[in-house]
Amino acid sequence: MIGCDWIGRWAFYAPDKMALKEYESGRTLTYRKLNALANHAAHFLKKDYGITRGDRLAVLAENCLEYFILFSAAQKAGFILVPLNYRLAPAELDFMLQDAMPLLTISEKKFTEKVSRSVQTILLLEELQEMLWSKAEIKAEPFPQAPIKADDPLFILYTSGTTGTPKGALYTHKMLFWNAVNTEMRLDITSADRSVSCTPLFHTGGWNVIPTPFLHRGAYFCLMKTFEPAVVNQLLQEEKATMFMGVPTMLRLMADAENFERTDFSSLRFFVIGGEPMPLPLIDRWHNKGVPVRQGYGLTECGPSITSLHQDDAIRKRGSIGTLNFYIEKRIIDEAGNDVPPGNVGELLLKGPVITPGYWQNPEATKKAFTNGWFHTGDLVKQDAEGYLYIVDRKKNMYISGGENVYPAEVEKVLYQHPAVSEAAIIGVPDKKWGEVGMAFVVLKEKANVTDQELIAFCQERLARFKIPKYFKFIKEIPKSDTGKIDRKALKRLTQFKEDYP
């Protein structure tokens, strides 16, 4: 595939231009230095670990410059990055590591206990940093470009499945390129743009909404390890950011931060919002500070930049996810597979060069996801007369807590492992801080006894914190439909929550 080595090209075009900075350490990388370190990393990984095209390299770390050095090295050498969520429990990481079978796992020292039982070869991130940066001033020999094909994976991005088993979505070099093009066209990204990035790099959004389109365009961003609302406000002003990507929960916390009123956001053209719909009062609050809001839609397997709602339409088309990005096609179909007219609800299907070719070592899930080349998003949408799209219902029974997708089946599967639990069902309920949290309905086995705190402790050993239900309700029977499926609408009627926040 021609043109894989983006950083190498920018190191030639604009070697002294700043590419990115790490906020916490103050370390910076010009495109020249980023390219040199990526060449070092590619040579080192091949020489010391035998990593070549197609091999998997797992990373368990907070956001850091080394992630982007490895990204550039992967573009050169053709190996596959497997970013792992450091918030997950060891048992969850075990499955992903056994599935991906990485040749090498790079882990921050503080996370090694989570994966030490799953992998034999671990390289500490701190050791990689010392090796790379001790040679940072040495001119690296260019790494010979591997014969990468367009559909070769660059990432395996694990996404929770409705069956409770994570699936490794393949994110290819072709997807990366066309997503960058789509994003740049819709957001008018230029090499003069600047941003702050704090979305975790185990999410496709952390890579592919701002950072990789920016690197493709030769722009600059400041990287944060974790999201801190007041610090983000401060950095948006200090870095003279022109755009920023976040989820509504982040924007609400930023607006509630003590420095919000005195922060100068005048350099920002807009915010890019995804993950969940943004409440109108919050849009108004940011508009009153002079920051327009662009809402959008995407998913790990597609894009992720699929639609965009121009900031000028934020109020007029409230609730909309906007219109389709440039190089993507869509269908909206009923249960019989027929296209539905505007105003009618149907499932959103997508096709284009930004769509995954499938799931890692999971042909069954891959086959199920496609019909005649069209990818089934599982999301129900409707289109108005002007072509604007609206999400009507979420994918399956998923709910979103603080921007994190939570699939009830995955949590239910864990609760069923408890010896006292006979049945369990999870739904999302409103929460002022996180948008939504989980409520678990539990049926205990005969003569069994357990408290909600004991179930929380049980989950803490097996699930990431954001997946653990906040509320537990013990009932005699889980309501079911005529076909024996859990009746989640009936469960919602059993809650004490109103339509709005409690």
Side-chain angles (χ1 to χ4, degrees):
M1 180 178 176
I2 297 173
C4 278
D5 188 5
W6 297 356
I7 306 306
R9 289 293 178 95
W10 281 108
F12 175 73
Y13 295 146
D16 296 322
K17 188 177 189 300
M18 194 63 67
L20 64 156
K21 177 172 78 173
E22 188 176 83
Y23 161 69
E24 290 81 4
S25 67
R27 296 184 300 166
T28 61
L29 288 173
T30 62
Y31 278 96
R32 185 206 312 270
K33 193 169 184 178
L34 176 54
N35 186 55
L37 291 175
N39 282 324
H40 274 305
H43 282 297
F44 164 72
L45 292 170
K46 182 178 181 180
K47 179 177 180 292
D48 286 37
Y49 294 94
I51 294 178
T52 59
R53 177 183 168 224
D55 290 327
R56 276 79 61 207
L57 191 157
V59 183
L60 186 67
E62 292 178 318
N63 292 358
C64 59
L65 297 187
E66 284 68 32
Y67 247 132
F68 289 94
I69 294 169
L70 291 170
F71 163 79
S72 179
Q75 281 197 313
K76 298 171 189 289
F79 59 79
I80 305 168
L81 283 175
V82 186
L84 298 174
N85 184 345
Y86 54 82
R87 298 172 183 168
L88 297 179
E92 295 171 295
L93 292 168
D94 283 350
F95 174 87
M96 296 175 184
L97 288 163
Q98 290 169 18
D99 186 59
M101 296 181 65
L103 199 59
L104 173 67
T105 298
I106 297 174
S107 173
E108 279 191 77
K109 187 175 182 179
K110 61 184 176 182
F111 299 133
T112 53
E113 288 186 4
K114 288 191 170 190
V115 294
S116 57
R117 69 183 187 183
S118 304
V119 294
Q120 294 182 340
T121 309
I122 296 178
L123 171 64
L124 292 180
L125 176 71
E126 291 82 357
E127 293 176 354
L128 177 67
Q129 289 172 337
E130 183 179 355
M131 187 281 299
L132 290 175
W133 290 82
S134 66
K135 301 178 180 179
E137 301 307 320
I138 300 174
K139 184 178 179 181
E141 288 295 323
F143 190 90
Q145 180 66 56
I148 296 171
K149 297 179 181 178
D151 284 326
D152 283 353
L154 174 64
F155 296 109
I156 296 175
L157 299 170
Y158 279 93
T159 177
S160 296
T162 54
T163 61
T165 302
K167 294 180 291 187
L170 299 174
Y171 197 93
T172 67
H173 290 265
K174 179 172 71 175
M175 291 172 67
L176 183 83
F177 170 75
W178 287 106
N179 178 74
V181 171
N182 278 340
T183 307
E184 292 158 26
M185 292 179 72
R186 288 306 296 272
L187 302 184
D188 294 325
I189 297 172
T190 74
S191 60
D193 275 309
R194 303 170 64 84
S195 188
V196 173
S197 183
C198 54
T199 309
L201 291 168
F202 50 76
H203 276 181
T204 187
W207 285 102
N208 300 313
V209 176
I210 292 291
T212 56
F214 267 48
L215 291 174
H216 180 252
R217 198 63 184 83
Y220 161 85
F221 60 94
C222 176
L223 184 69
M224 294 179 65
K225 289 186 177 297
T226 56
F227 171 71
E228 298 177 50
V231 177
V232 172
N233 287 344
Q234 171 193 333
L235 282 178
L236 290 175
Q237 174 179 309
E238 291 179 357
E239 295 288 343
K240 294 182 170 53
T242 56
M243 64 185 73
F244 174 75
M245 181 269 176
V247 298
T249 298
M250 294 165 63
L251 264 66
R252 183 182 57 77
L253 293 171
M254 289 163 61
D256 290 340
E258 53 85 22
N259 63 348
F260 173 73
E261 294 299 337
R262 64 176 184 271
T263 302
D264 179 6
F265 296 107
S266 60
S267 63
L268 284 158
R269 299 207 306 274
F270 48 76
F271 281 156
V272 180
I273 303 304
E276 55 191 319
M278 186 159 168
L280 188 59
L282 187 55
I283 293 176
D284 289 336
R285 193 170 181 188
W286 280 102
H287 278 201
N288 291 337
K289 280 290 285 183
V291 183
V293 172
R294 290 187 70 121
Q295 297 202 87
Y297 164 84
L299 55 162
T300 302
E301 296 92 337
C302 305
S305 298
I306 297 298
T307 72
S308 186
L309 179 69
H310 195 279
Q311 61 268 25
D312 293 347
D313 289 326
I315 303 301
R316 184 175 74 90
K317 293 291 186 179
R318 63 183 183 180
S320 172
I321 57 172
T323 55
L324 213 60
N325 286 343
F326 212 87
Y327 295 104
I328 308 171
E329 298 177 69
K330 75 173 189 310
R331 291 181 65 198
I332 303 173
I333 64 168
D334 59 22
E335 291 186 2
N338 301 313
D339 294 303
V340 302
N344 287 33
V345 175
E347 183 186 3
L348 178 64
L349 273 59
L350 298 170
K351 180 188 282 189
V354 294
I355 310 302
T356 182
Y359 299 99
W360 172 256
Q361 297 194 127
N362 197 335
E364 183 179 346
T366 299
K367 184 178 179 180
K368 188 177 180 180
F370 290 90
T371 299
N372 297 324
W374 289 91
F375 182 86
H376 287 259
T377 68
D379 289 321
L380 299 177
V381 305
K382 63 181 178 180
Q383 180 176 273
D384 69 15
E386 295 181 79
Y388 288 77
L389 296 169
Y390 297 78
I391 296 288
V392 175
D393 200 359
R394 288 181 179 155
K395 186 186 301 181
K396 305 298 182 182
N397 301 309
M398 179 194 81
Y399 64 91
I400 299 174
S401 185
E404 296 273 8
N405 292 350
V406 183
Y407 290 87
E410 190 177 15
V411 184
E412 291 160 4
K413 186 176 180 181
V414 168
L415 286 174
Y416 270 94
Q417 296 173 20
H418 194 283
V421 174
S422 174
E423 288 188 281
I426 313 293
I427 62 171
V429 295
D431 184 80
K432 288 184 177 180
K433 182 176 183 180
W434 301 113
E436 287 182 297
V437 294
M439 171 173 269
F441 293 85
V442 178
V443 177
L444 296 180
K445 294 178 181 177
E446 190 175 354
K447 297 183 181 180
N449 187 30
V450 69
T451 67
D452 54 356
Q453 291 303 313
E454 289 173 329
L455 288 178
I456 289 173
F458 184 80
C459 289
Q460 285 173 339
E461 297 177 359
R462 295 162 176 82
L463 291 170
R465 184 181 300 176
F466 64 83
K467 299 179 184 178
I468 299 172
K470 183 176 182 179
Y471 305 104
F472 285 78
K473 189 177 183 68
F474 296 93
I475 57 178
K476 292 183 178 180
E477 184 179 0
I478 300 288
K480 296 182 179 67
S481 67
D482 293 338
T483 59
K485 295 180 180 179
I486 295 172
D487 188 343
R488 296 182 193 274
K489 290 183 179 179
L491 288 177
K492 286 185 181 292
R493 292 194 291 270
L494 293 177
T495 72
Q496 298 176 356
F497 295 94
K498 300 178 181 178
E499 289 298 318
D500 205 351
Y501 294 122

